[in-house]
Amino acid sequence: MEKIIEQSKQGESLVLENKPENTKKLFIESYGCAMNFSDSEVVASILSINGYNTTQTLEDADLVLVNTCSIRDKAEQTIRKRLEKYNAVKRINPKMKVGVLGCMAERLKSQFLEEEKIVDLVVGPDAYKDLPNLLAEVEEGRDAINVILSKEETYGDISPVRLMSNGITALVSITRGCDNMCTFCVVPFTRGRERSREPQSIMKEIQDLWDKGFKEITLLGQNVDSYLWYGGGLKKDFVNASDMQKATAVDFDQLLEMVAVGFPKMRIRFSTSNPQDMHESILHVIAKYPNICKHIHLPVQSGSDRILKEMNRLHTREEYMTLIDKIKAIIPDASISQDMIAGFPTETEEDHQDTMSLMEYVKYNFGYMYSYSERPGTLAGRKMEDDVPEETKARRLQEIVDLQQKHAWFRSEEFVGKVVEVLVEKVSKKSTEEFSGRNSQSITVVFPKENYKIGDFVNVKITSCTSGTLKGEAVGLSSMN
């Protein structure tokens, strides 16, 4: 499981600059994780070359695409409702074509195309370059499908169009797929095995963003810490690499340092991490470079060793706590956030209390918390009975959320009186007289505009806080400008 893009962005229709020579209109919506939103930028780039401009008006579209998430049942239900809406419009405009991209496409291909007949094309996460061919099939009156998972595809040669861009922050994909096989997760089945993108193509993409005035990038992957480039291919096949490939391989701490040194005035974030791959060498790189943000998203899912084993998490409670101690020793000002699942199959009250005590130990800055929902196709879905009553799941989730809220207040109050560096991203939602941005720890900071502008790095003295927002007064531009 990975960080879900904030709720307000879910289902946003995405728009890029029109090309006058393009004659067709594309309406594209994204749901789920940051990787889906990043993939939509790749899709838009491919279709822009093939005659499509984007539109925010569904009724005007020649092609409607929805990039889907399968991580929770609620996400799938939301997308089904959107497909109903698309098809209502399609009855008025029969020439409009509807397609499903991403994780749900791979999982429900036959249902969408053959049984329910609610879409014209189904395209999996590794098949976006095949979109022009698939659309040609659809134009000929045939359904089109490509959900083949690739051992090689990383889209390293596609320059993504920045669809949701504020011109300040951008996502840069560095790995695809996942090898971890957590029993609750569909990602290995919908996105395939793990492979990494060639480092120079990553550096080239970041250079392009820097040239366009972007100030912050997030290196993105299902599991960024296990990044490993040795000339291409699946990570699991590294054991068969030649001696030369092994000697010249690039892992995540090397890539992170390469980016930090290459772009000293650009902020660098990364997501998502997995505890077993967060090696100490990575922590030392984060500590060494001021432009690498001091925030680590470190999903744990449960504080119970028994449940961690049932989930096939490749770490124990003690190993996770040791890693937390290392982070706090090497990067004392780091913020740490979590993913947590309440009510996994067979979870007892004792297991739940183990989760609560782990949270007390860490005192996370913020987190993403869910009750367990069975995902068809996962090992848990096939082999385990979803036996925790819904009301028990709901109570345990609420207890986790309440405790996280308490810890978020505690962590926010630690910033009061301190000066933090903020990258100004936008005007505050609550007041047009204030700017909003994030500090290095990924906490939102709000302060009066004065003469600053969006894109500035501003030092802000924190004067008050809520559990999720810091408030303060600007004291000057930072050295990052």
Side-chain angles (χ1 to χ4, degrees):
M1 191 176 289
E2 64 193 278
K3 180 180 171 183
I4 300 293
I5 290 277
E6 64 184 84
Q7 195 59 40
S8 64
K9 299 265 175 58
Q10 293 293 324
E12 261 191 4
S13 59
L14 309 175
V15 171
L16 59 141
E17 197 173 329
N18 283 349
K19 290 183 178 177
E21 67 272 23
N22 286 356
T23 57
K24 292 175 278 191
K25 290 184 179 177
L26 164 70
F27 180 93
I28 181 167
E29 285 184 341
S30 304
Y31 291 86
C33 68
M35 186 64 85
N36 274 9
F37 283 73
S38 177
D39 279 1
S40 289
E41 294 177 344
V42 169
V43 168
S45 183
I46 292 165
L47 291 176
S48 175
I49 298 163
N50 286 274
Y52 285 86
N53 285 329
T54 53
T55 176
Q56 280 192 299
T57 308
L58 176 61
E59 290 74 12
D60 290 349
D62 299 289
L63 174 63
V64 176
L65 297 175
V66 58
N67 203 337
T68 61
C69 173
S70 261
I71 210 155
R72 300 197 311 282
D73 184 58
K74 185 182 173 189
E76 290 198 359
Q77 297 311 319
T78 300
I79 288 154
R80 282 199 171 278
K81 286 194 178 76
R82 291 304 290 157
L83 287 170
E84 287 171 18
K85 167 74 174 170
Y86 302 157
N87 279 284
V89 175
K90 193 174 178 180
R91 284 192 282 276
I92 302 161
N93 176 13
K95 289 183 180 175
M96 187 176 96
K97 305 302 179 190
V98 176
V100 172
L101 313 175
C103 297
M104 221 172 144
E106 205 288 327
R107 204 175 75 69
L108 296 175
K109 49 193 178 284
S110 56
Q111 270 176 262
F112 283 155
L113 270 179
E114 294 153 25
E115 296 165 32
E116 301 177 33
K117 300 189 187 304
I118 52 175
V119 298
D120 302 291
L121 71 159
V122 174
V123 190
D126 290 347
Y128 298 141
K129 284 182 188 169
D130 198 29
L131 265 164
N133 299 327
L134 296 171
L135 287 166
E137 288 284 307
V138 170
E139 290 300 327
E140 296 290 325
R142 294 185 288 274
D143 290 337
I145 182 169
N146 185 343
V147 292
I148 296 166
L149 293 173
S150 168
K151 293 182 179 181
E152 301 287 342
E153 186 60 77
T154 63
Y155 300 110
D157 57 333
I158 301 286
S159 180
V161 175
R162 302 295 162 182
L163 290 164
M164 293 178 56
S165 175
N166 53 11
I168 306 298
T169 64
L171 305 170
V172 176
S173 178
I174 67 166
T175 71
R176 296 186 74 82
C178 186
D179 286 348
N180 286 326
M181 306 303 285
C182 300
T183 59
F184 54 79
C185 186
V186 295
V187 167
F189 306 104
T190 59
R191 287 188 171 271
R193 298 304 293 264
E194 192 173 311
R195 63 269 186 206
S196 296
R197 182 177 162 191
E198 197 267 324
Q200 290 311 317
S201 79
I202 296 169
M203 295 296 282
K204 185 181 171 191
E205 183 176 334
I206 298 170
Q207 181 67 57
D208 181 57
L209 290 165
W210 174 254
D211 293 344
K212 288 174 179 170
F214 284 79
K215 301 294 180 75
E216 178 184 289
I217 51 133
T218 299
L219 302 176
L220 197 63
Q222 250 74 37
N223 185 10
V224 287
D225 311 319
S226 67
Y227 175 91
L228 181 65
W229 172 261
Y230 62 97
L234 299 178
K235 182 175 180 183
K236 72 180 181 66
D237 294 335
F238 180 64
V239 290
N240 302 320
S242 68
D243 290 343
M244 178 59 81
Q245 284 176 314
K246 287 178 179 174
T248 57
V250 177
D251 60 14
F252 185 58
D253 57 348
Q254 292 168 305
L255 177 71
L256 195 55
E257 186 158 35
M258 198 187 299
V259 177
V261 170
F263 302 94
K265 296 293 186 182
M266 197 172 217
R267 251 199 199 171
I268 302 151
R269 299 187 186 276
F270 58 90
S271 187
T272 292
S273 297
N274 247 5
Q276 73 271 15
D277 294 305
M278 175 58 76
H279 304 302
E280 192 172 319
S281 55
I282 297 170
L283 302 180
H284 287 293
V285 172
I286 298 168
K288 183 177 178 182
Y289 294 97
N291 58 329
I292 303 178
C293 289
K294 308 303 184 258
H295 165 233
I296 297 173
H297 183 59
L298 202 62
V300 63
Q301 314 300 359
S302 173
S304 158
D305 271 335
R306 192 184 70 79
I307 293 296
L308 288 171
K309 194 170 182 183
E310 291 289 333
M311 290 175 164
N312 195 36
R313 298 291 286 172
L314 302 176
H315 61 86
T316 64
R317 173 191 174 93
E318 187 179 351
E319 286 166 345
Y320 186 89
M321 289 162 80
T322 300
L323 177 56
I324 294 292
D325 294 342
K326 275 186 187 172
I327 293 170
K328 291 182 176 178
I330 297 167
I331 320 165
D333 56 343
S335 65
I336 303 169
S337 53
Q338 45 85 348
D339 285 350
M340 208 71 80
I341 297 173
F344 190 77
T346 76
E347 184 186 73
T348 64
E349 204 58 36
E350 186 182 356
D351 296 323
H352 172 59
Q353 291 307 321
D354 283 347
T355 293
M356 300 289 278
S357 69
L358 179 71
M359 290 178 70
E360 285 285 10
Y361 184 83
V362 180
K363 293 185 173 63
Y364 295 99
N365 293 74
F366 53 95
Y368 304 89
M369 297 149 282
Y370 316 95
S371 60
Y372 174 74
S373 66
E374 187 178 286
R375 310 313 300 126
T378 61
L379 195 65
R382 295 199 307 271
K383 305 272 182 158
M384 299 176 190
E385 184 187 347
D386 186 3
D387 59 354
V388 179
E390 288 303 318
E391 59 271 21
T392 304
K393 285 184 193 175
R395 173 184 58 79
R396 289 177 185 169
L397 177 60
Q398 193 58 54
E399 288 174 6
I400 288 169
V401 169
D402 290 345
L403 186 58
Q404 180 54 58
Q405 181 82 347
K406 177 184 148 189
H407 292 157
W409 267 107
F410 170 76
R411 291 300 183 194
S412 286
E413 285 167 349
E414 289 184 319
F415 286 101
V416 175
K418 293 180 179 175
V419 174
V420 300
E421 182 188 74
V422 179
L423 172 57
V424 182
E425 295 179 33
K426 58 189 177 183
V427 175
S428 168
K429 284 180 191 169
K430 292 191 176 173
S431 169
T432 55
E433 299 304 307
E434 293 181 321
F435 275 136
S436 173
R438 285 177 299 160
N439 65 3
S440 178
Q441 290 78 12
S442 203
I443 311 296
T444 297
V445 181
V446 174
F447 65 96
K449 280 181 173 178
E450 297 181 29
N451 296 318
Y452 300 102
K453 62 186 186 298
I454 289 173
D456 282 345
F457 287 98
V458 181
N459 287 326
V460 178
K461 184 167 185 180
I462 305 304
T463 54
S464 65
C465 68
T466 68
S467 63
T469 305
L470 306 177
K471 297 177 181 179
E473 303 284 337
V475 294
L477 290 168
S478 88
S479 59
M480 277 287 282
N481 290 287

